[in-house]
Amino acid sequence: MKQLQKKVKFILTAIFICLILVASNSIHRQIVTYKQVINQCLVAVNSDCSANAQELILPVVPSPSLNDQERFVAAIVQKLKVIPEPGTYEYILLRSYGAAFVNPADDVKLPPTVLLNSEEETKEFQTQLILQKVVGTNNCYLQKAAADALNKARLQYNIPLKSGYGASDCTRSFATNSRFWYKYANNKTLEKVKQGKETKILSVVAPPGASQHLWGLAIDLGVSNTKQRQILNQNGWFQTVVKDVPHWTYLGVSVEDLPKLGFKNQVVQGITYWLTPL
Ligand SMILES: [Zn+2]
């Protein structure tokens, strides 16, 4: 009898070990496939990554076996169908302004590409947005999720807009984006940016069609202390454009999630910026 019990115990243990081996092998295979798809996205010229990515079961918690860049691409591929080729103008824009594409919420919309080419394209995108007013302003509108989070933060602490009340701090038109560009820069600067020879200007003003303000997910604020920054961070708002002090981006995730999504932090004059790993 005892021998039979021993045998049963042995068989059960063996089955259990086999199951563990099969499971871990399948997880390993999944990560390998996952890495392959992401790498394809990174090297392929304008390939549609989302078609392949959708076939994968995306890990709920980004895998530690992926590097920062792979984790970031894995996070944005659901919202940005085509990952631009490294070295291109769109890739440069994605590096500088693409943080918002990690937003996981279904009701947060992002444009099909990082660059909107005209007022028509901008309007076509903006008409799909559910906008909501920032409480206490005249006509400052953001995407509903972003406005809700900001309104919550502003209830907790006094956080003024950069201009005090205005619409230009919030969601902008293509024309306003262009007007700001030509106030600080010109066509020559734009050519240099496209060639990758000029990047500093991107902290001052976004090229026409490239501003996060077109997406309804950015606002310029008059933030002056750590407590304000802490409350904004707790509500999913972060500084993602290095040295653009008033500029805040709605990411809709917690500060603990940012490194998991591949973000790197850079502290400049006491301000923590969360930068894409591209
Ligand atoms: Zn801004």
Side-chain angles (χ1 to χ4, degrees), residues 54-165:
Q54 271 160 13
E55 285 171 21
L56 296 172
I57 307 157
L58 297 173
V60 178
V61 177
S63 165
S65 74
L66 302 177
N67 66 33
D68 287 345
Q69 201 182 45
E70 289 164 343
R71 283 204 299 273
F72 180 73
V73 173
I76 65 170
V77 82
Q78 297 298 315
K79 296 230 162 151
L80 188 65
K81 276 191 164 193
V82 179
I83 306 288
E85 187 194 1
T88 60
Y89 177 42
E90 286 202 17
Y91 190 85
I92 291 166
L93 296 176
L94 182 65
R95 180 169 58 214
S96 301
Y97 307 130
F101 281 86
V102 301
N103 198 307
D106 287 337
D107 59 343
V108 169
K109 294 256 181 303
L110 279 134
T113 60
V114 74
L115 181 67
L116 293 164
N117 289 300
S118 61
E119 191 74 84
E120 290 69 40
E121 264 188 43
T122 307
K123 276 187 182 153
E124 196 189 319
F125 166 68
Q126 289 182 346
T127 51
Q128 299 167 33
L129 306 179
I130 304 162
L131 295 172
Q132 175 123 325
K133 203 174 182 181
V134 175
V135 173
T137 64
N138 282 350
N139 48 3
C140 169
Y141 285 87
L142 297 170
Q143 286 198 41
K144 190 182 178 302
D148 286 348
L150 185 66
N151 287 333
K152 205 175 145 202
R154 275 159 56 93
L155 273 179
Q156 290 169 262
Y157 208 84
N158 176 37
I159 303 167
L161 269 60
K162 184 184 160 196
S163 69
Y165 55 87

Side-chain angles (χ1 to χ4, degrees), residues 169 172 211 213 218-220 244 246-248:
D169 288 338
R172 293 176 190 158
S211 173
H213 289 279
I219 192 166
D220 292 341
D244 189 347
H247 187 87
W248 287 78

